[in-house]
């Protein structure tokens, strides 16, 4: 069963070093104890495994297992989950700003919020900061912490705040103040001081809080400054370029160390590096940033994911549809995207004097398909599912591997139903979410219900039915959830589901949204039992979010070692010499006929072939020598080093077929 997760987990058994392993796996060809068992001297696959594996078992196997197995983790909350950590991190942002202005007298401050695991502050400083500067700033922060200065809240008039800001010659603070007053005239202005105002150790900033009571409430050994990066003021490229310092803060030194373990583990699992190492995908700058090229290995994994997705949706009563990549801009004006989402859309293109638009969403196309026919209440619900590629403008500085791209494929579906069907349909979606995500090994979730925001469309009756239906579905499922009051979309409430990966990170994937807006904008109808026209309820839902992003999550979750059913190559047949090639090819052909992705490798020493299979993280490897050819057998070795010895060829094929079909292990 799914369960709500209220904390982030961090690994504790990962070493600090990010240097490549120096195990014998990495230098197996140079190991004389292995080299003498080359293909020219060995006729039996069994003896190859017995000799070669013994040499690499102790180090390389353990290294490979560690690369994919989930590390031991300890529990650490995020800022949202711990008021104490939130106060510590917000306070550290102010302490850092104070330390920067102590160190660089001409530095101007802007904003400094807390983040999920730390904090940052943007500064206007003439000289570029370096790692050496960060160390200097951190030492100054520790002095401020050890001075045990009080955090003092003061409420002042806007006139008083402006006078103080001008006296301090802080133009960015003045702009922040003006922004506050333009949004909320007469808003109370609060200032937080570090230290007494008449003390030489004093600093202040506009802030709503919260903070710790004294700087001494922070452990000086549990804070660190991580990096510095450029950031435009207000995120606008037309504004000044600032320097953003990122930091992290925890309750204890042990937590800080655990956090760095997580960062190191995350770096080792980075999908961008593994994507290149395993030849899964690339982003070709010559073709444009944020556009993904799927290589054969990655394309095979994607094909497997999509086939599973399609088959499951057909079983669950969805109709598969396909829609164009572009449409007349009028469609996007009707849907409202042109007005409310324009900054994320590409410019229009002219075709025969008419303007067309690359689609940023699939939903208007599904609405158009619904409207193409006549619908009675007996026809509902109508469920349409599509793996639809969409295009959204992302600035070059925001793109990140597969996680943020300009063209991606949504696993999109829309359900058009009667009001009384909503709860059952939502429950069906939740069941489907659980089945899909658990198949990929995700069993820990955080679930959020977002309710009506201040600015919304639709009457009270719709919102009550919608929110009650979501609550009913979650309750019937028995899932714990948190309520984000006012966090829904302007057109309807929603459920968001975050998954927790092997090293405790959370990823937003699945979303379920109710929509009153699009059915109204497109004048959607069905005929009820009294032969009158009514408006259907529209449910938007995605499980992966996008194929690209979910694929990146999978790479990092598995550390590139995909389970057997997903692996691009499921079994490698390694030949001791050319005499074994005909049998190996015959076995591979039989396996392919059974739906097994098999590959024959030869022409090199067996240790090198084993090493290559390990680097490729192939789930099953078999060595074929003279004894295997004569006995119609295969010497089997699993990724990670477990040796099963010689097994009859038919048994290996049968076990593979069953394991792949059940999405289990060999």
């Amino acid at each position: 069963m799914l369960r709500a997760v209220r904390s982030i987990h961090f690994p504790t058994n990962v070493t600090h070093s990010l240097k490549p392993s120096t195990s014998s796996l990495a230098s197996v060809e140079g190991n004389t104890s292995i080299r003498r068992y080359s293909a020219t001297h060995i006729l039996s696959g069994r003896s190859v495994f017995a000799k070669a594996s013994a040499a690499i078992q102790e180090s390389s196997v353990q290294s490979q297992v560690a690369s994919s197995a989930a590390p031991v983790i300890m529990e650490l909350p995020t800022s949202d989950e711990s008021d104490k950590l939130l106060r510590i991190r917000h306070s550290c942002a102010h302490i850092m700003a104070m330390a920067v202005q102590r160190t660089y007298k001409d530095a101007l401050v802007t904003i400094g919020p807390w983040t999920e695991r730390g904090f940052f502050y943007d500064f206007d400083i003439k000289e570029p900061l370096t790692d050496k500067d960060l160390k200097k700033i951190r030492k100054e922060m520790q002095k401020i912490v050890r001075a045990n200065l009080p955090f003092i809240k003061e409420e002042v008039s806007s006139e008083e705040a402006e006078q103080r800001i001008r006296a301090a010659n802080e133009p960015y603070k003045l702009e922040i103040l003006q922004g506050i007053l333009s949004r909320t005239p007469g808003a109370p202005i609060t200032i937080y001081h570090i230290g007494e105002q008449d003390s030489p150790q004093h600093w202040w900033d506009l802030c709503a809080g919260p903070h710790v009571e004294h700087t001494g409430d922070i452990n000086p050994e549990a804070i660190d400054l991580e990096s510095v990066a450029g950031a435009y003021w207000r995120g606008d490229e037309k504004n000044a370029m600032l320097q953003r310092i990122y930091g992290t803060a925890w309750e204890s030194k042990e937590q800080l160390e655990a956090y760095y373990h997580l960062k190191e583990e995350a770096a080792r699992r980075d999908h961008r590096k593994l994507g290149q190492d395993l030849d899964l995908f690339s982003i070709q700058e010559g073709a444009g940033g944020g556009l993904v090229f799927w290589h054969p290995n990655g394309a095979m994994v994607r094909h497997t994911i999509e086939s599973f997705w399609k088959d499951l949706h057909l079983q669950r009563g969805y109709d598969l549809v396909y829609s164009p990549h572009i449409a007349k801009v009028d469609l996007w004006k009707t849907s409202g995207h042109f007005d409310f989402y324009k900054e994320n859309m590409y410019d229009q293109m002219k075709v025969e004097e008419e303007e067309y638009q690359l689609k940023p969403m699939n939903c208007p196309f599904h609405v158009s398909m619904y409207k193409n026919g006549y619908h009675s209440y007996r026809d509902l619900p109508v469920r349409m599912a599509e793996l639809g590629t969409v295009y959204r403008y992302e600035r070059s500085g925001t793109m990140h591997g597969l996680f943020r791209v300009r063209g991606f494929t949504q696993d999109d579906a829309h359900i058009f139903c009667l009001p009384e069907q909503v709860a059952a349909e939502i429950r069906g979606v939740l069941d489907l979410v659980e089945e899909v995500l658990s198949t990929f090994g995700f069993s820990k979730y955080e679930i959020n219900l977002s309710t009506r925001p201040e600015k919304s469309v639709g009457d009270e009756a719709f919102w009550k039915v919608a929110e009650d239906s979501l609550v009913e579905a979650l309750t019937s499922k028995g899932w714990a959830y948190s309520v984000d009051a006012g966090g829904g979309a302007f057109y309807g409430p929603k459920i968001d589901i975050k998954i927790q990966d092997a090293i405790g990170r959370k990823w937003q994937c699945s979303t379920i949204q109710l929509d009153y807006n699009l059915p109204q904008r497109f004048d959607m109808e069905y005929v009820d039992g009294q032969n009158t026209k009514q408006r259907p309820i529209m449910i938007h839902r995605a499980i992966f979010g996008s194929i690209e992003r979910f694929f990146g999550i999978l790479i990092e979750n598995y550390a590139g070692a995909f389970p057997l059913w997903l692996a691009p190559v499921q079994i490698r047949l390694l030949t001791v010499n050319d005499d074994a090639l005909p049998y190996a090819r015959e076995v591979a052909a039989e396996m392919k006929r059974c739906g097994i992705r098999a590959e024959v490798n030869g022409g090199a020493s067996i240790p090198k072939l084993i090493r290559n299979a390990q680097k490729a993280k192939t789930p099953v490897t078999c060595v074929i020598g003279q004894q295997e050819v004569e006995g119609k057998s295969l010497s089997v070795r699993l990724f990670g080093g477990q040796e099963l010895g010689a097994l009859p060829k038919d048994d290996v094929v049968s076990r593979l077929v069953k394991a792949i079909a059940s999405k289990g292990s060999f």
Side-chain angles (χ1 to χ4, degrees):
M1 173 183 288
L2 289 165
R3 60 187 179 90
V5 175
R6 299 302 301 151
S7 60
I8 285 288
H9 293 76
F10 297 81
T12 58
N13 67 336
V14 186
T15 62
H16 280 286
S17 175
L18 291 176
K19 296 179 181 179
S21 169
T22 55
S23 68
S24 59
L25 177 68
S27 57
V28 67
E29 292 178 271
N31 189 321
T32 55
S33 66
I34 297 175
R35 184 181 296 160
R36 68 172 182 266
Y37 299 109
S38 65
T40 57
H41 294 87
I42 296 179
L43 300 180
S44 168
R46 275 168 280 182
S47 59
V48 169
F49 272 147
K51 305 283 187 179
S53 294
I56 65 175
Q57 182 83 24
E58 187 64 27
S59 55
S60 68
V61 168
Q62 291 177 0
S63 173
Q64 290 294 331
V65 170
S67 71
S68 58
V72 176
I73 51 181
M74 66 179 294
E75 189 172 307
L76 286 175
T78 64
S79 296
D80 289 338
E81 296 163 347
S82 169
D83 181 68
K84 183 177 181 180
L85 272 177
L86 186 151
R87 290 173 181 272
I88 287 173
R89 288 164 181 166
H90 196 190
S91 301
C92 281
H94 280 223
I95 292 169
M96 178 174 70
M98 181 178 179
V100 167
Q101 291 196 311
R102 276 187 174 185
T103 308
Y104 303 91
K105 302 302 181 183
D106 61 345
L108 300 175
V109 299
T110 61
I111 57 171
W114 69 86
T115 63
E116 185 179 68
R117 298 170 189 157
F119 57 91
F120 71 82
Y121 222 113
D122 290 347
F123 301 95
D124 190 338
I125 307 176
K126 292 179 181 179
E127 60 264 41
L129 298 175
T130 65
D131 288 343
K132 185 177 179 181
D133 295 317
L134 295 187
K135 292 178 182 178
K136 185 164 48 176
I137 295 167
R138 180 175 179 266
K139 286 183 179 179
E140 190 65 32
M141 289 178 67
Q142 290 176 326
K143 289 180 184 177
I144 296 169
V145 168
R146 292 189 174 103
N148 197 26
L149 303 174
F151 273 89
I152 303 170
K153 180 180 179 180
E154 180 188 15
E155 186 170 322
V156 300
S157 67
S158 58
E159 293 79 11
E160 174 67 17
E162 181 176 348
Q163 182 180 344
R164 294 190 192 183
I165 291 170
R166 290 189 183 279
N169 191 27
E170 291 278 10
Y172 295 102
K173 286 186 184 182
L174 184 60
E175 190 174 332
I176 292 169
L177 175 65
Q178 291 168 344
I180 294 171
L181 297 176
S182 66
R183 290 191 302 272
T184 314
I189 305 301
T190 55
I191 289 174
Y192 268 88
H193 303 268
I194 299 178
E196 300 289 346
Q197 292 189 49
D198 57 356
S199 167
Q201 294 200 74
H202 171 252
W203 185 89
W204 65 272
D205 197 5
L206 298 173
C207 185
H211 292 284
V212 297
E213 292 188 8
H214 295 81
T215 60
D217 296 335
I218 299 169
N219 185 337
E221 300 302 320
I223 57 177
D224 199 10
L225 300 184
E226 300 181 89
S227 63
V228 61
Y232 290 106
W233 171 234
R234 301 286 194 189
D236 189 335
E237 297 171 1
K238 297 177 183 177
N239 291 336
M241 172 65 79
L242 307 173
Q243 296 190 69
R244 176 173 294 177
I245 301 177
Y246 288 97
T248 189
W250 300 89
E251 293 182 44
S252 66
K253 185 178 180 180
E254 290 73 25
Q255 288 181 339
L256 177 63
E257 291 174 350
Y259 168 71
Y260 277 119
H261 289 326
L262 170 69
K263 289 191 68 175
E264 291 160 5
E265 181 68 14
R268 194 175 59 79
R269 292 169 177 258
D270 191 323
H271 74 280
R272 295 167 298 179
K273 181 180 185 304
L274 289 172
Q276 180 177 352
D277 293 345
L278 301 175
D279 197 22
L280 299 170
F281 71 91
S282 63
I283 295 175
Q284 304 286 341
E285 292 302 325
L291 303 174
V292 182
F293 287 73
W294 294 83
H295 296 201
N297 284 343
M300 180 55 71
V301 179
R302 173 173 175 161
H303 166 74
T304 305
I305 293 170
E306 291 183 347
S307 296
F308 164 70
W309 186 92
K310 289 178 181 179
D311 291 343
L312 196 57
H313 278 73
L314 289 172
Q315 294 168 20
R316 297 297 181 270
Y318 286 80
D319 294 313
L320 299 181
V321 297
Y322 295 91
S323 60
H325 289 239
I326 62 172
K328 289 183 182 180
V329 74
D330 294 344
L331 184 71
W332 308 107
K333 290 180 178 179
T334 301
S335 70
H337 290 102
F338 190 80
D339 294 323
F340 300 111
Y341 203 71
K342 189 175 182 179
E343 65 181 21
N344 298 103
M345 297 165 63
Y346 284 99
D347 290 339
Q348 295 73 49
M349 63 186 80
K350 278 212 167 183
V351 180
E352 296 179 349
E353 302 308 313
E354 291 185 307
E355 287 191 323
Y356 281 75
Q357 176 74 56
L358 278 170
K359 67 174 177 179
M361 307 279 186
N362 298 301
C363 31
F365 290 88
H366 294 187
V367 171
S368 298
M369 284 187 249
Y370 176 94
K371 283 177 61 66
N372 196 53
Y374 167 88
H375 296 282
S376 161
Y377 71 97
R378 298 183 183 89
D379 302 322
L380 302 185
V382 171
R383 307 183 188 99
M384 296 183 187
E386 176 180 12
L387 293 168
T389 300
V390 298
Y391 303 90
R392 299 179 187 174
Y393 171 65
E394 297 283 357
R395 292 179 178 177
S396 57
T398 64
M399 292 183 291
H400 179 82
L402 297 177
F403 292 156
R404 196 154 186 177
V405 293
R406 287 175 171 162
F408 57 92
T409 302
Q410 288 184 309
D411 66 315
D412 225 346
H414 295 93
I415 302 170
F416 307 99
C417 62
L418 308 174
E420 59 267 27
Q421 294 173 330
V422 171
E425 288 302 309
I426 296 297
R427 171 61 192 266
V429 173
L430 295 177
D431 289 341
L432 185 58
V433 167
E434 181 177 28
E435 182 168 2
V436 170
L437 296 181
S438 62
T439 299
F440 290 94
F442 298 109
S443 60
K444 295 181 179 179
Y445 304 79
E446 180 185 284
I447 302 163
N448 294 298
L449 170 63
S450 300
T451 59
R452 186 177 190 173
E454 287 186 16
K455 295 181 180 180
S456 59
V457 297
D459 56 29
E460 290 286 346
F462 161 74
W463 280 88
K464 179 167 177 39
V465 168
E467 292 177 0
D468 288 350
S469 296
L470 295 182
V471 170
E472 182 182 340
L474 288 169
T475 302
S476 69
K477 189 70 177 166
W479 289 357
Y481 62 91
S482 299
V483 176
D484 179 11
F490 73 92
Y491 52 78
K494 61 177 181 173
I495 295 172
D496 290 319
I497 298 174
K498 294 180 181 180
I499 58 176
Q500 182 172 303
D501 70 8
I503 58 173
R505 297 170 299 178
K506 295 176 187 174
W507 304 91
Q508 173 63 53
C509 285
S510 308
T511 186
I512 307 163
Q513 300 179 342
L514 295 188
D515 189 354
Y516 179 83
N517 182 52
L518 282 188
Q520 189 173 44
R521 279 180 169 270
F522 282 93
D523 194 25
M524 299 177 68
E525 296 176 342
Y526 69 90
V527 177
D528 66 13
Q530 285 70 48
N531 205 35
T532 59
K533 293 180 179 179
Q534 301 292 340
R535 194 88 65 204
I537 302 294
M538 183 176 183
I539 301 173
H540 304 252
R541 50 116 293 208
I543 299 175
F544 300 141
S546 83
I547 295 294
E548 286 75 7
R549 186 167 179 275
F550 189 72
F551 187 65
I553 293 170
L554 289 180
I555 294 172
E556 298 201 1
N557 181 65
Y558 299 134
F562 292 103
L564 179 64
W565 73 281
L566 274 179
V569 176
Q570 294 165 325
I571 182 168
R572 288 180 184 240
L573 305 175
L574 313 181
T575 55
V576 170
N577 52 36
D578 289 347
D579 292 340
L581 272 175
Y583 173 64
R585 289 169 178 162
E586 176 186 322
V587 173
E590 180 181 348
M591 288 181 171
K592 289 176 182 178
R593 287 193 294 271
C594 295
I596 302 167
R597 296 189 285 275
E599 187 177 285
V600 176
N601 294 155
S605 68
I606 287 297
K608 183 176 182 179
L609 294 176
I610 294 173
R611 170 180 172 244
N612 290 342
Q614 288 287 306
K615 286 178 63 178
K617 303 181 187 288
T618 307
V620 182
T621 302
C622 298
V623 169
I624 301 175
Q626 181 177 337
Q627 292 184 39
E628 285 72 32
V629 173
E630 293 174 352
K632 298 297 180 185
S633 64
L634 299 168
S635 288
V636 181
R637 186 177 193 269
L638 305 182
F639 176 73
Q642 183 183 2
E643 294 179 22
L644 304 184
L647 300 175
K649 179 261 296 178
D650 290 345
D651 287 356
V652 174
V653 173
S654 176
R655 287 179 61 172
L656 282 170
V657 169
K658 290 178 181 177
I660 293 168
S662 66
K663 298 178 175 57
S665 54
F666 183 80

